[in-house]
Amino acid sequence: MFPQEAKELYRSIHAPESLRQKIDAHTASLKTTRRTWTYYAAAAACFVLLCTAAISLFPSPATLFGIDGEIIGSTPVCVSMPVRAARNDVMLISEVPKELEFTLDDADADVTVSLGDVQIEENGTIHWSLPADTENAVLTVNKTSYLLYCDDTGAWYMQKQ
Amino acid sequence: MGSFEQNRNSLDEIYSRYADQLYRLAFTQLSSQQDAEDAVADVFVKYLAAPPVFRDENHEKAWFIRVLINRCRDIHRRKAVRAYTPLDEVVGNIAAPEQSKQLLEQIRTLPEKYRTAILLHYFEGFSLEETASMLHCTVSAVKMRLLRGRNELKKTLKGD
């Protein structure tokens, strides 16, 4: 039923040159699309890296002592410090403290310091003045102690003991 | 999977191996030369975008033909139909009896299932098992399609 001549006629059909051109055009556009998405991905990765680096320059937000206060790097620095919610976190104080100001939710809290002077206001705000050459000091609030210290880079921290 | 450039470099080799076979298969499946070119181009682009790992040459050949058949089916389902291209416009410059031309033209009008089975088995030379594998059916199903396709052709050619 299918003579050899019919098969040869069928096999005489060859792919035209336009087919190869069509494939080349498609693959060129596919390559461009991939290159474009590669650039986008690289740009996005650079952006993320830059953001991460930028964020790392800022002091850590203060979950210190379990509060919503935050050290903002200026003097006097202000920290809200509800005694009841204190946690063993470390607070970064970006400026050398000359005076630390704390706000306690317990105005009758027993506050002592190992160095410098402390003044307590009626609203529970504590002003802690420190000598200029302070290297470390301890603040005690109702028998809970917090060590104030600086590291080799000159950054100041307050850590619950 | 090789890099895109590696696949691109092997396109020449793959193209020279399969382009003619895929094109004539696509042309006899579809009505127009443009559709046939589109179908074959899509197969090669699909290969370049994500080439499978082939066990051997037969596996590779079967993959190309299966993808082409599926692509031809997709094009058939399109509502827009391109202009019919007569066989004379694509066949090579060989002397062939008019009957052979008529036969091929009639094959192009067969239902897709019969047409594909006939082309793969009788014209491309694949065995019944290979044809069944490419069409995702049993050997019995291929035999049935070949039988029905031949009967259709006999009816049509006798009626001319």
Side-chain angles (χ1 to χ4, degrees):
Chain A
M1 177 166 200
F2 303 106
Q4 193 58 31
E5 294 87 357
K7 294 176 187 175
E8 283 170 9
L9 185 65
Y10 171 78
R11 293 214 179 99
S12 74
I13 300 171
H14 293 290
E17 184 56 34
S18 51
L19 170 62
R20 183 59 199 255
Q21 290 165 2
K22 196 170 279 191
I23 294 169
D24 288 341
H26 276 308
T27 52
S29 111
L30 185 65
K31 196 174 169 185
T32 302
T33 302
R34 285 191 177 190
R35 197 166 36 220
T36 303
W37 281 108
T38 302
Y39 289 151
Y40 285 152
C46 286
F47 179 72
V48 168
L49 280 172
L50 279 171
C51 287
T52 306
I55 287 168
S56 69
L57 292 175
F58 288 94
S60 305
T63 54
L64 179 65
F65 311 129
I67 54 168
D68 55 1
E70 184 168 334
I71 296 297
I72 57 174
S74 62
T75 318
V77 292
C78 302
V79 176
S80 297
M81 192 168 64
V83 173
R84 280 195 300 273
R87 291 205 301 253
N88 189 21
D89 289 324
V90 180
M91 175 173 69
L92 172 64
I93 305 168
S94 60
E95 293 270 340
V96 175
K98 294 176 186 172
E99 179 179 340
L100 288 168
E101 182 178 299
F102 303 95
T103 304
L104 302 177
D105 59 354
D106 180 5
D108 294 327
D110 182 29
V111 177
T112 58
V113 293
S114 64
L115 194 63
D117 295 320
V118 169
Q119 287 186 340
I120 305 173
E121 297 180 2
E122 284 185 11
N123 61 4
T125 301
I126 299 174
H127 295 272
W128 183 13
S129 302
L130 290 159
D133 59 350
T134 299
E135 289 185 4
N136 56 70
V138 176
L139 167 76
T140 305
V141 180
N142 283 350
K143 297 182 184 176
T144 301
S145 296
Y146 303 92
L147 174 65
L148 177 72
Y149 66 97
C150 71
D151 66 9
D152 294 338
T153 66
W156 283 84
Y157 299 87
M158 182 168 277
Q159 183 172 14
K160 182 181 171 187
Q161 298 296 287
Chain B
M1 199 190 310
S3 70
F4 186 82
E5 283 304 319
Q6 287 171 345
N7 296 337
R8 189 70 178 82
N9 291 336
S10 72
L11 171 63
D12 291 335
E13 187 192 327
I14 290 287
Y15 186 85
S16 65
R17 206 183 300 162
Y18 294 115
D20 285 347
Q21 181 179 40
L22 294 178
Y23 180 76
R24 58 181 179 248
L25 200 50
F27 178 77
T28 38
Q29 292 279 36
L30 302 165
S31 317
S32 84
Q33 193 171 348
Q34 284 299 316
D35 283 344
E37 282 187 28
D38 286 348
V40 179
D42 289 347
V43 172
F44 280 107
V45 171
K46 179 171 180 159
Y47 169 78
L48 284 173
V53 176
F54 299 119
R55 291 189 299 271
D56 51 36
E57 193 176 318
N58 287 338
H59 183 209
E60 181 186 73
K61 192 182 295 185
W63 183 89
F64 274 95
I65 290 178
R66 257 207 302 274
V67 172
L68 177 75
I69 290 169
N70 290 336
R71 191 69 195 105
C72 290
R73 283 189 188 137
D74 293 340
I75 291 175
H76 256 302
R77 285 189 203 117
R78 266 196 336 225
K79 287 185 180 170
V81 177
R82 284 186 170 137
Y84 183 86
T85 307
L87 188 64
D88 281 336
E89 290 186 23
V90 297
V91 295
N93 192 17
I94 66 167
E98 194 57 34
Q99 275 177 331
S100 294
K101 289 184 186 175
Q102 280 181 4
L103 177 60
L104 277 182
E105 287 285 15
Q106 290 304 321
I107 288 173
R108 292 175 76 191
T109 65
L110 284 175
E112 185 263 333
K113 278 186 183 176
Y114 308 157
R115 179 176 65 232
T116 309
I118 284 175
L119 287 171
L120 289 176
H121 182 60
Y122 293 118
F123 287 83
E124 291 292 345
F126 292 111
S127 67
L128 290 171
E129 291 76 17
E130 287 170 331
T131 304
S133 167
M134 287 175 198
L135 298 180
H136 286 298
C137 63
T138 61
V139 170
S140 313
V142 170
K143 286 181 181 175
M144 187 57 65
R145 292 180 193 186
L146 291 173
L147 176 64
R148 288 176 178 163
R150 290 198 306 268
N151 289 343
E152 284 278 331
L153 284 172
K154 280 178 192 168
K155 242 190 296 184
T156 315
L157 290 169
K158 267 189 188 163
D160 286 349

